[in-house]
Amino acid sequence: MSIDTLPPLRQVIDTHGLAAKKSLGQNFLLDLNLTAKIARLSGDNSGHDVLEIGPGPGGLTRGLLAEGARRVVAIEKDARCLAALAEVAEAYPGRLEVMGGDALDINPLDHLTPPIRVAANLPYNVGTELLVRWLTPPQWPPFWDSLTLMFQREVAQRITAEPGSKAYGRLAILAQWRADARIVLNLPPEAFSPPPKVSSAVVHLTALPEPRYPADAKMLQHVTATAFNQRRKMLRASLKGLSPDIEAHLAAADIKPTDRAEQIDLERFCALARSLKAAL
Ligand code: SAM
């Protein structure tokens, strides 16, 4: 079944010679029912501009447009895809703008009108780098209301992990401090062409208007990076370089000096960051 009058994605790939390039992390979604489903998981976008990173042959882009996104601005690094995307833009007049280039270098904000959501199926390394940037803007709330992002399942689990689990670490703290993060769809390798080696998952993050607990962003990042860098050590040892009074700061945050990083929930990490910041 097709969601628009454009050719099926397999045909688009053949016509435009879009043989997948490993160097660009190209694992395409060819099932337009699935891309429409992912588009719906990002929410009702009829009143939103959507920033899409890495549209490739346009599967998710078509899903977003067919499901009614007000506008889509898409950044694609592979120049081979631009002609295929121009055909999508033609089928949805005035609703798709494609920017050719590297999403890590381009600032698309001048091209977008709030409210803005982000949706992407990206190579995993670029996805994690962009996620960290989107979660650490100079000001909060950020430019986006929500992020709907495909990740390697293991990375999705790190983003949504609870204290005490193996996956819990910096990414969980960063994501959950100022956003609600949940896995909304699991996908097997066969959902992609070519299939990657690992399973994938879509994570949906909604920006909270305020951080869940007060803390200085830089201090919280510094504390969690230091704590999880040596995650098997007791916090008294792994954090001793942060302050000569580290035991007092740990006590102020209700943390035992013998606790390990993965036992500490977000609330107590924020209390620790506040205590250290106040002593500066
Ligand atoms: N969205 C398409 C889909 O779901 O079928 C393609 C997904 S494919 C996993 C990743 C896409 O991101 C490719 O089209 C690739 O060329 C593009 N890409 C890779 N690195 C990029 C970057 N740094 N900036 C923008 N696009 C990038």
Side-chain angles (χ1 to χ4, degrees):
M1 206 177 80
S2 95
I3 56 169
D4 52 37
T5 55
L6 290 157
L9 284 160
R10 239 175 239 294
Q11 193 177 321
V12 172
I13 287 172
D14 286 347
T15 311
H16 295 277
L18 304 180
K21 279 192 188 169
K22 231 183 174 168
S23 60
L24 286 169
Q26 292 182 337
N27 303 99
F28 300 131
L29 290 167
L30 300 186
D31 177 351
L32 288 166
N33 290 311
L34 181 56
T35 62
K37 182 173 180 180
I38 297 169
R40 285 195 297 277
L41 289 170
S42 76
D44 172 358
N45 291 320
S46 55
H48 279 73
D49 277 11
V50 180
L51 172 63
E52 187 194 354
I53 312 290
L60 180 56
T61 323
R62 286 165 62 174
L64 289 162
L65 290 163
E67 291 296 319
R70 179 175 72 189
R71 270 184 81 244
V72 176
V73 173
I75 304 177
E76 174 56 59
K77 190 172 175 181
D78 186 351
R80 297 179 310 162
C81 298
L82 300 181
L85 294 164
E87 289 172 7
V88 181
E90 216 171 289
Y92 292 94
R95 290 175 57 204
L96 173 62
E97 179 180 344
V98 179
M99 305 171 82
D102 189 328
L104 294 169
D105 301 332
I106 293 178
N107 179 354
L109 289 188
D110 288 348
H111 298 251
L112 291 154
T113 309
I116 300 164
R117 294 201 175 116
V118 178
N121 171 21
L122 266 175
Y124 302 120
N125 53 345
V126 183
T128 311
E129 166 73 34
L130 284 171
L131 173 65
V132 170
R133 288 191 197 182
W134 288 327
L135 288 169
T136 53
Q139 276 167 357
W140 198 268
F143 75 88
W144 49 272
D145 290 1
S146 71
L147 311 171
T148 306
L149 307 172
M150 180 87 69
F151 285 102
Q152 201 170 322
R153 187 170 301 170
E154 183 228 309
V155 177
Q157 285 166 342
R158 278 169 44 208
I159 296 167
T160 56
E162 305 273 342
S165 68
K166 238 173 125 186
Y168 183 64
R170 293 169 66 175
L171 211 47
I173 300 274
L174 196 59
Q176 296 171 33
W177 180 43
R178 296 195 281 201
D180 274 326
R182 44 201 184 95
I183 294 178
V184 290
L185 186 67
N186 285 299
L187 288 172
E190 309 81 64
F192 301 85
S193 174
K197 289 207 176 68
V198 293
S199 295
S200 301
V202 176
V203 181
H204 184 76
L205 298 109
T206 314
L208 299 172
E210 298 273 343
R212 220 174 281 279
Y213 308 102
D216 175 75
K218 288 223 159 68
M219 182 58 88
L220 180 61
Q221 280 171 59
H222 185 47
V223 169
T224 47
T226 314
F228 285 103
N229 217 4
Q230 298 172 299
R231 57 187 296 139
R232 300 223 305 274
K233 272 197 179 171
M234 292 182 214
L235 285 168
R236 174 174 50 206
S238 57
L239 297 182
K240 67 173 189 284
L242 293 184
S243 161
D245 301 324
I246 193 61
E247 297 218 10
H249 293 297
L250 290 169
D254 202 19
I255 298 172
K256 290 198 217 79
T258 51
D259 281 341
R260 291 176 171 76
E262 68 180 40
Q263 296 169 270
I264 307 305
D265 59 17
L266 178 58
E267 185 172 8
R268 286 186 294 160
F269 266 123
C270 289
L272 179 59
R274 286 198 303 275
S275 177
L276 284 161
K277 179 78 182 171
L280 284 183

